[in-house]
């Protein structure tokens, strides 16, 4: 399913990786099954980024889309 090439927006990746001024990221916990984690790691490896950053990109992108739809 993920064998086709895809590209994430580099600006979104950088935004997910950087700290915003003095604000720090607050650790949270999300329970995911092992299959989902392995898929995330595989996708992240193809993009050359840590899988935690990929999760942040997905969350930030989803949040942005929800805001625009509201």
């Amino acid at each position: 399913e993920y064998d086709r090439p895809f590209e994430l927006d580099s600006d979104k990746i950088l935004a997910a990786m950087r700290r915003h001024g003095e604000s720090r990221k607050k650790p949270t916990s999300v329970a995911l099954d092992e299959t989902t984690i392995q898929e995330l790691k595989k996708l992240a490896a193809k993009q050359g980024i840590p899988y935690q950053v990929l999760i942040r990109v997905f969350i930030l992108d989803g949040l942005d889309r929800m805001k625009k739809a509201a």
Side-chain angles (χ1 to χ4, degrees), residues 9 11-12 15 55-70:
D9 183 348
D11 290 337
K12 289 183 179 181
I55 292 170
R56 264 187 245 123
V57 169
F58 287 160
I59 292 170
L60 294 172
D61 186 57
L63 182 60
D64 189 46
R65 290 174 189 226
M66 294 294 286
K67 286 179 183 177
K68 288 178 182 175

Side-chain angles (χ1 to χ4, degrees), residues 5 8 14-16 27 29-30 39 41 45-46 50-51 55 57-58 62 69-70:
L8 295 173
L14 291 173
S29 176
V30 177
E39 287 183 46
K41 287 182 177 182
K46 285 185 177 185
Y51 80 100
I55 292 170
V57 169
F58 287 160

